[in-house]
């Protein structure tokens, strides 16, 4: 597929305006195309949404090859020579170089990826363990075929290949550390040390790429940043920049969430990371981090409460009032109401961790009072079902209070 | 009973002396009560036993401490109220109370429907038993007519053997639990062949070992009961057994399989509900709540099992409870779904 400029613009515009479910479908279709030369440029416009939506993306050799370098990849338009980063336009020529130098392995890896996506973590780890170390051996100083045609200067080939080779040499331990860090596993820090320590000798660019890869995935990035700084003091500004950028992305994801459930997930992640960053801050960065955290907490906490208050009325109280006044509710209706209450509870729990506790308390108190009034003359639901809604929303003690009300 | 956490691993051996000391598995829905058991000694109020946070040992708590620390749901409070007042809590009493609480709707509509279906099935088992026992006992031992109604009550959970009720008759709770445990064994054995990590394979091996060892002795106990029931009419007729001894004998045999299987229904439901994708994740939780029979079971019929070896292996895995990873809302919802799956 070769997209002309006008078509690419139209597709980019359409993607930007498309609803979430449609973006996932279109991206899946584009991912299925063999020639990605223009696709990456089109997808750049929706990458922040893709990070948030995480649609299943098919596993292919080039994507697998560059997974450990994810944090160093930038859109070609934003890349500058000497930036210690890798333009996305370099993926195709470098992947071709690796496939050409390792034809048997490339064929086996391609066969192994068929039918799998990036979310098949075991497949990614197993195929990566074969591909990455081998790729590091063939990424020797040269100008890959198709490099200049991809719009890249010849002089950039050597430093970019050196960066790739250094990261691929450590890619297996890096990926293990990333997996553990994203799950918040206890062994994450030890694995991160094992992965990052050898990168120190390779210079700032590979260490920065490896560290950023771990930070972006980690539930506790502060611990990993502290570890990296202890390995190399020079990496400190890079770590702080990466942390600030990660938090900004997290906060943006909270603001952009399109449902209470998604907002709960994104806010929960942000709250966890903020707590870790404040906990691990040393005297040098404590004030700066606390100021940044306070601003993020205030803004995202307010956003969570605003969404909570609106969704409480829209998804629970209004439908409940209608159901309460009607005939005995169908099972599906009760499931819908309980599902809404659970989404709200998740959002409230995550939002509380960011602040606005009094506001959440007030909203919950009002909601429970309203449900209790409806339960006084039960029709569509019985009292136990009203009590269950209150229990899901505000806990068992509030539900007991409803049950104790005369009625 | 104190209102704070009373003891840790050191206060309770991993294997209790008796089933009464080990307590009954309680199908609570609050995430922090996952794996809870309830026991009541000869004196004093009922106590809760909870898997310890570090994955080794057991907490002993009073109900007030539980209210303070574990946020029991409305469902759990109802269940506690019904069982804690019993002089001798048993798995059968817990099953009946849990069905009643679910029937009232405290675990949601799906669990309510499942409980109603289970209660209907239980009634059908009783009807079938009445006919079978009358046909077997009355021709040989007509004096045993007064025993039939209490025998139905005793055997309602165990049935009287395969093929003795008509093929369309529903199965009693204990044979059902054995079939479910066999299915669990087959499923986890197949899964462990494809497990990705050594930790998963180790967890699967522990769970499978415990299930197989339980299956052998539970099945032996049930077979012993069914054999006894089959032989009873002739033995009564010959005067080898006194009528007054019949009910205690059957009650003892029937309770053995129930105690041995106690807790496994929830383990099987947990595994089944996880689905193929979630099984690696649920394995640690499952291993932390595996029912380990007390020393009392050593003297029962059936092959000897290497429980001490298995417990040593479990200590190496040392899983913590699922709720320690958060997601309380989802876990509560899942636990309610388990009530629908295993009413």
């Amino acid at each position: 597929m070769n997209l002309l400029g006008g078509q690419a613009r139209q597709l980019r515009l359409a993607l930007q305006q498309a609803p979430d479910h449609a973006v996932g479908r279109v991206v899946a279709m584009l991912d299925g195309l063999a020639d990605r030369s223009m696709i990456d440029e089109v997808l750049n416009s929706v990458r922040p949404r893709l990070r948030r939506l995480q649609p299943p993306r098919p596993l292919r050799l080039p994507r697998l090859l560059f997974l450990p370098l994810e944090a160093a990849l930038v859109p070609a338009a934003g890349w500058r020579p000497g930036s210690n980063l890798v333009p996305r336009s370099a993926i195709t020529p470098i992947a071709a170089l690796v496939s050409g130098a390792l034809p048997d392995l490339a064929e086996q890896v391609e066969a192994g990826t068929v039918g799998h996506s990036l979310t098949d973590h075991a497949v990614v780890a197993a195929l990566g363990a074969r591909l990455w170390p081998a790729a590091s051996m063939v990424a020797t100083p040269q100008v890959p075929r198709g490099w200049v045609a991809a719009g890249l200067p010849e002089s950039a080939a050597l430093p970019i290949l050196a960066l790739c080779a250094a990261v691929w040499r450590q890619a297996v331990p890096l990926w293990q550390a990333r997996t553990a860090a994203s799950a918040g596993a206890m062994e994450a820090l030890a694995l991160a040390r094992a992965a990052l320590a050898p990168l120190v000798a390779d210079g700032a660019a590979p260490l920065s790429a490896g560290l950023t890869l771990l930070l972006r995935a980690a539930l506790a990035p502060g611990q990993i940043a502290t570890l990296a700084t202890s390995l190399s003091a020079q990496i400190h500004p890079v770590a702080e920049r990466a942390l600030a950028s990660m938090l900004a992305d997290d906060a943006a994801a909270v603001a952009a969430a399109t449902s209470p459930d998604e907002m709960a997930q994104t806010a929960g992640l942000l709250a966890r990371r903020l707590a870790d960053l404040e906990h691990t801050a040393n005297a040098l960065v404590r004030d700066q981090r606390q100021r940044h955290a306070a601003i993020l907490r205030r803004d995202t906490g307010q956003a969570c409460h605003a969404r909570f208050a609106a969704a409480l009325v829209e998804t629970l109280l209004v439908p409940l009032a209608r159901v309460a006044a009607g005939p005995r509710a169908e099972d599906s209706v009760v499931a819908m109401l309980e599902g809404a209450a659970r989404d709200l509870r998740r959002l409230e729990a995550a939002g509380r961790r960011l602040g606005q506790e009094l506001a959440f308390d007030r909203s919950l108190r009002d909601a429970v009072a309203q449900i209790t009034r409806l339960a006084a003359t039960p029709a569509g639901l019985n009292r136990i079902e009203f009590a269950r809604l209150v229990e899901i929303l505000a806990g068992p003690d509030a539900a007991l209070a409803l049950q104790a009300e005369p009625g | 009973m104190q209102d704070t956490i009373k003891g840790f691993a050191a206060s309770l051996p991993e294997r209790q002396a008796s089933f009464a000391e080990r307590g009954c598995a309680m199908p609570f829905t609050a995430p922090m009560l996952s794996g809870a058991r309830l026991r009541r000694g000869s004196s004093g109020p009922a106590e809760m036993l909870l898997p310890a946070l570090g994955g080794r040992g057991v907490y002993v708590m009073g109900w007030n401490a539980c209210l303070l620390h574990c946020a029991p749901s409305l469902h759990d409070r109802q269940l506690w109220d019904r069982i804690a007042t019993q002089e001798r809590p048993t798995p059968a009493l817990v099953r009946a109370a849990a069905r009643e609480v679910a029937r009232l709707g405290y675990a949601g509509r799906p669990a309510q429907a499942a409980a109603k279906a289970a209660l209907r099935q239980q009634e059908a088992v009783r009807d079938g038993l009445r006919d079978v026992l009358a046909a077997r006992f009355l021709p040989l031992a007509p004096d045993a007519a007064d025993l039939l109604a209490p025998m139905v009550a005793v055997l309602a959970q165990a049935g009287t053997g395969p093929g003795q009720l008509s093929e369309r008759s529903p199965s009693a709770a204990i044979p059902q639990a054995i079939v479910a445990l066999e299915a669990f064994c087959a499923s986890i054995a197949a899964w462990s062949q494809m497990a990705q990590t050594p930790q998963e394979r180790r967890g699967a091996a522990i769970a499978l070992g415990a299930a197989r060892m339980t299956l052998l002795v539970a099945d032996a106990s049930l077979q012993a009961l069914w054999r006894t029931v089959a032989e009873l009419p002739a033995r009564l007729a010959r005067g080898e057994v006194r009528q007054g001894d019949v009910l205690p004998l059957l009650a003892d045999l029937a309770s053995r399989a129930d105690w041995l299987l106690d807790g496994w229904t929830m383990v099987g439901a947990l595994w089944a509900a996880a689905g193929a994708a979630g099984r690696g994740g649920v394995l640690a939780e499952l291993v932390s709540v595996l029912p380990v029979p007390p020393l009392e079971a050593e003297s029962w019929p059936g092959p000897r099992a290497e429980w001490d070896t298995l417990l040593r292996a479990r200590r190496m895995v040392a899983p913590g409870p699922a709720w320690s990873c958060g997601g309380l809302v989802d876990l509560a919802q899942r636990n309610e779904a388990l009530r629908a799956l295993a009413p």
Side-chain angles (χ1 to χ4, degrees), chain B residues 52-204:
Chain B
L53 290 180
R56 299 183 188 195
V58 178
Y59 291 141
V60 184
M61 299 174 87
W63 182 243
N64 286 341
C66 210
L67 290 172
L68 207 59
H69 298 294
C70 304
S73 63
L74 291 181
H75 167 276
D76 302 343
R77 293 165 201 240
Q78 290 284 328
L79 187 53
W80 171 269
D81 287 347
R82 285 165 168 78
I83 299 298
T85 49
Q86 299 286 340
E87 198 174 325
R88 294 180 61 197
T90 64
L93 284 172
V94 172
R95 190 161 43 241
R99 282 175 180 170
E100 176 58 13
V101 173
R103 188 191 66 79
L104 291 171
Y106 282 102
R109 291 258 182 110
Q112 184 178 41
K116 285 178 177 171
L119 288 167
R120 280 195 301 272
Q121 179 166 325
Q122 191 173 302
E123 269 315 298
V125 168
R126 286 172 188 270
D127 291 344
L129 268 175
R130 270 184 214 106
D131 297 343
V132 168
L133 292 177
R136 279 210 214 143
F137 278 75
L138 295 184
L140 290 175
D143 294 347
D146 291 346
L147 283 177
L148 292 186
M151 278 172 70
V152 167
V154 167
L155 294 172
Q157 307 296 320
T160 57
Q164 289 167 350
L165 302 178
S166 76
E167 274 188 12
R168 288 175 57 205
S169 293
S171 180
I174 296 173
Q176 257 185 9
I178 285 184
V179 170
L181 191 52
E182 282 169 347
F184 172 74
C185 286
S187 172
I188 202 164
W191 183 85
S192 69
Q193 300 293 315
M194 298 177 293
Q196 302 289 349
T197 66
Q199 198 167 1
E200 285 180 349
R201 283 192 287 277
R202 203 176 302 131

Side-chain angles (χ1 to χ4, degrees), chain A residues 257-306:
Chain A
T258 54
S259 69
D261 194 39
E262 187 189 339
M263 193 174 231
Q265 283 182 35
T266 51
L269 178 64
L270 175 62
R272 194 163 173 174
R273 284 175 162 171
L274 284 174
D276 167 70
L277 286 170
E278 285 181 310
H279 179 66
T280 54
N282 58 27
L284 205 62
V285 294
R286 186 169 297 128
D287 285 351
Q288 190 188 345
R289 279 194 191 172
Q290 280 179 347
R291 272 199 304 276
H292 191 198
I295 294 168
L296 289 175
R297 280 210 171 92
R298 185 198 62 208
D299 293 350
T300 51
Q302 283 173 351
C304 284
H305 178 259

Side-chain angles (χ1 to χ4, degrees), chain A residues 122 272 328-331 334 338 342 345-346 380-382 384-385 387-388 391 396-397 399-400 403, chain B residues 71-75 77-78 104-110 112-113 196 199 325 329-330 332-333 336:
Chain A
R272 194 163 173 174
R328 172 93 175 131
E330 299 287 328
D331 290 355
V334 177
E338 291 186 353
R342 285 191 187 95
R345 183 68 186 268
R346 288 187 198 99
L381 302 179
N382 63 34
I384 292 174
E385 287 165 340
R388 276 178 53 75
E391 178 178 37
D397 289 334
L400 279 176
Q403 283 204 305
Chain B
S73 63
L74 291 181
H75 167 276
R77 293 165 201 240
Q78 290 284 328
L104 291 171
Y106 282 102
R109 291 258 182 110
Q112 184 178 41
Q196 302 289 349
Q199 198 167 1
C325 301
V329 176
D330 296 321
Q333 184 182 10
E336 288 184 353

Side-chain angles (χ1 to χ4, degrees), chain A residues 1 3-18 26 30 42 45-46:
Chain A
M1 176 176 177
L3 293 171
L4 302 173
Q7 289 173 309
R9 269 196 304 279
Q10 281 175 12
L11 188 52
R12 196 179 300 131
L13 192 66
L15 271 173
Q16 284 167 344
Q17 292 173 347
V26 174
L30 293 177
V42 172
S45 62
V46 286

